[in-house]
Amino acid sequence: MSHSPVSATADPSQAPTTFDTIVVGNGGLGLSLGLVLARRGQRVAVVGEASRPLAASVAAGAMNGCFGEVTPTLVRSEYGRLKLAMDVRATSMWDQWAQSLIEESDETRIRSATGTIVILNTIGVPGIDSAGYAAIRQAMQDYKEPYEDLEPEDIEWLAPEPKSRPLKAMFIPGEHAVDTPALLRALPAAFTRAGGVLVDAHVDRVVVEGGRTTGVVLRGDGKVLSADNVVLAAGVSSHELLSAVDPEIRDKIPSMVAGGGVSLLVRTENGLIPDSVIRTPNRAFACGLHVVPRGDGVIYLGATNEVLPKPISTAAIGEVNLLLSGIRQMRADLVNGHILKINVGNRPIPLDGYPLLGPAGVDGLWLMTGTYRDGLHQSPMLAEEIAARVLGEPHDTDLDVFTPVRPPLQSMTREEALETAVTHTMAVGVEHDWHLPEDFPPLIEEQFRRSFRQVLDEMDHDFVPPPELLFFVEDEIHDALRRYYDAHR
């Protein structure tokens, strides 16, 4: 059904109150879905605070990472291989998506890099970095994705200190990066020009009446916005908005923890920046060290990942120090650069590690979140998929495995999760450039193995949590795991 366009407003007191669909969350995912629905003639409101506090999108390096994100554990499980297939599909959509955003906004550029260089350097540990590098190559061969081996010394911008030099490097011409600020300007502009309404407000709760969703209540003035469909795309805060759902159903949806991440915008001393993304394989529970060109002598340096029960809003000194120590792996003279901004964001991580896509246990209520590190890259594809579900149209049924009301999706045995946690934990020490007597690391490794095994034993379930949730020892996280597992006994 087509409707006449509705004027955009950032003032909730002046906004219309009735819509076809309300999208809660104004990050990359929420705005992309709102845009797709508005283009289809839906009356759509995207609700979220304009400053986007705690959001993942504002701190994202926004690599169009697909194969560069591949790890050995990802491709060993059917769910991981499905996530890779989703990434590949999203990659195929980005050229057209970026061009349409340029045409429908005031931006002249959405992309900020040409291709991706993956380096295998002397900092990582063989069980992660070497295995990850090999897994990336194998995945590209499986998908017939072009790539080119490079001699590390021929990479013009790269100039690490001698002890951190790359051993190998390869160029992936089809993986670029997005200028996040430009994207987050283009999306709302295109959305409002398509007739959508932006509401600068925080949603307090979802309204459920007669067994179906009827709208949302805004925090502060208690204003009610009505709609037949409400999509929760509010990242790590999404699960908190399910309070109106029957607890027996809600408890069967994995709640989320925050993957708190810190990154830096750095102006280089000499103004030189690379043309391409330069990155390591994923390592130490994080997305690897990476440099993304942003233009005008500025690079993005990222990114850390700390799993926490609640989102973070400020950067710990240790997180910034970790990034600064990574400078030696990329270009030694970056130490003379200037930090323009410290970015802080929160990746949404469901308790089983996989996205929440689809109906949320009440008619008209949907979840579009839990995408961890993939959300911004997958946003064009997921916007089309969730829009199709909301509109009752044909969609990719392979993604139904990620329906939110579900038993935990298991991708590892207990021993695999244990050993993965131990290996990545030891890699954290390498990332921090620890200096220990030769006989200490084996002792530390065994102590971690005993500690993680105790956590697994105390779960008293057949379900196995993702390895990250073993390393980041938080009682609140482990209590949430037990509640979720208990709901599926």
Side-chain angles (χ1 to χ4, degrees):
M1 183 183 301
S2 178
H3 302 276
S4 58
V6 184
S7 300
T9 177
D11 183 355
S13 67
Q14 300 299 316
T17 59
T18 302
F19 303 90
D20 297 318
T21 301
I22 294 170
V23 180
V24 181
N26 60 349
L29 278 177
L31 283 167
S32 297
L33 174 60
L35 176 56
V36 169
L37 289 171
R39 286 172 175 172
R40 301 288 298 278
Q42 283 256 305
R43 296 175 299 176
V44 188
V46 171
V47 187
E49 294 177 78
S51 61
R52 299 187 180 92
L54 311 180
S57 297
V58 295
M63 296 178 287
N64 278 149
C66 176
F67 295 102
E69 290 288 312
V70 169
T71 65
T73 55
L74 180 80
V75 294
R76 278 204 296 263
S77 78
E78 61 175 307
Y79 307 121
R81 291 190 293 273
L82 178 54
K83 283 181 65 177
L84 175 57
M86 293 163 64
D87 282 336
V88 172
R89 181 179 163 196
T91 298
S92 70
M93 301 174 70
W94 260 101
D95 284 346
Q96 183 177 348
W97 181 252
Q99 184 58 38
S100 71
L101 289 176
I102 290 172
E103 294 170 358
E104 297 170 22
S105 72
D106 298 322
E107 301 301 316
T108 58
R109 184 195 70 159
I110 300 295
R111 286 317 208 342
S112 69
T114 303
T116 291
I117 296 171
V118 181
I119 60 173
L120 175 63
N121 63 18
T122 54
I123 298 298
V125 299
I128 297 176
D129 287 62
S130 297
Y133 194 86
I136 291 169
R137 293 174 72 92
Q138 185 61 55
M140 289 192 293
Q141 291 167 10
D142 292 344
Y143 275 92
K144 296 181 171 56
E145 178 74 11
Y147 69 93
E148 175 188 352
D149 286 321
L150 302 176
E151 292 296 332
E153 57 268 25
D154 293 338
I155 303 172
E156 290 187 5
W157 186 84
L158 195 69
E161 68 173 23
K163 291 189 296 184
S164 304
R165 66 189 185 278
L167 306 170
K168 298 179 180 179
M170 57 183 162
F171 178 61
I172 308 175
E175 297 208 348
H176 311 296
V178 174
D179 184 335
T180 315
L183 178 70
L184 293 179
R185 292 190 301 265
L187 280 169
F191 172 63
T192 54
R193 291 175 189 181
V197 176
L198 288 171
V199 181
D200 181 5
H202 186 94
V203 171
D204 189 56
R205 59 186 174 88
V206 174
V207 181
V208 175
E209 296 176 349
R212 70 163 295 111
T213 303
T214 59
V216 300
V217 178
L218 304 184
R219 181 168 296 175
D221 62 3
K223 182 174 181 177
V224 176
L225 304 182
S226 300
D228 293 331
N229 289 284
V230 173
V231 182
L232 303 181
V236 73
S237 302
S238 299
H239 197 275
E240 298 173 4
L241 295 171
L242 298 175
S243 59
V245 177
D246 184 329
E248 289 193 12
I249 297 174
R250 184 181 65 239
D251 290 348
K252 292 182 178 180
I253 299 173
S255 60
M256 281 182 289
V257 295
V262 175
S263 59
L264 305 177
L265 285 183
V266 176
R267 183 177 300 281
T268 63
E269 181 190 32
N270 52 20
L272 296 177
I273 63 175
D275 294 325
S276 307
V277 173
I278 302 178
R279 63 165 301 165
T280 69
N282 287 352
R283 54 162 66 142
F285 299 115
C287 46
L289 180 68
H290 51 277
V291 167
V292 181
R294 283 287 173 85
D296 297 326
V298 175
I299 61 168
Y300 170 103
L301 178 66
T304 65
N305 184 50
E306 184 174 6
V307 179
L308 298 164
K310 299 295 182 185
I312 61 172
S313 58
T314 57
I317 292 175
E319 298 289 286
V320 176
N321 282 342
L322 178 58
L323 289 173
L324 294 177
S325 69
I327 285 173
R328 71 187 191 279
Q329 301 180 48
M330 291 295 181
R331 190 177 174 97
D333 67 3
L334 282 177
V335 71
N336 299 317
H338 297 272
I339 298 174
L340 302 180
K341 185 179 180 183
I342 300 175
N343 302 308
V344 179
N346 295 276
R347 307 172 186 91
I349 310 174
L351 291 177
D352 62 359
Y354 291 100
L356 305 173
L357 306 172
V362 174
D363 287 346
L365 183 61
W366 309 82
L367 279 168
M368 181 191 188
T369 186
T371 47
Y372 203 171
R373 290 189 289 262
D374 300 313
L376 199 146
H377 174 65
Q378 291 183 356
S379 55
M381 181 272 293
L382 289 180
E384 293 287 351
E385 282 296 324
I386 299 299
R389 285 162 171 78
V390 169
L391 297 174
E393 297 175 350
H395 54 269
D396 184 355
T397 56
D398 285 347
L399 305 192
D400 290 349
V401 70
F402 299 131
T403 189
V405 183
R406 67 182 186 227
L409 299 180
Q410 302 286 272
S411 59
M412 296 184 185
T413 66
R414 293 171 73 85
E415 285 302 314
E416 287 171 341
L418 174 66
E419 291 306 316
T420 300
V422 170
T423 302
H424 279 263
T425 301
M426 299 302 291
V428 170
V430 176
E431 278 283 279
H432 281 273
D433 197 25
W434 64 2
H435 297 280
L436 299 171
E438 289 77 2
D439 55 345
F440 271 41
L443 297 175
I444 295 171
E445 179 176 334
E446 185 55 33
Q447 185 57 46
F448 276 124
R449 183 173 285 105
R450 291 176 182 174
S451 175
F452 296 158
R453 190 180 297 279
Q454 181 178 350
V455 172
L456 281 169
D457 290 343
E458 289 175 354
M459 289 291 172
D460 192 29
H461 281 282
D462 293 331
F463 300 123
V464 181
E468 294 97 315
L469 302 192
L470 295 178
F471 172 70
F472 293 99
V473 182
E474 294 278 355
D475 289 341
E476 192 172 342
I477 292 176
H478 294 163
D479 289 344
L481 282 167
R482 291 187 188 95
R483 286 194 299 272
Y484 177 45
Y485 293 166
D486 285 343
H488 288 283
R489 278 190 181 274

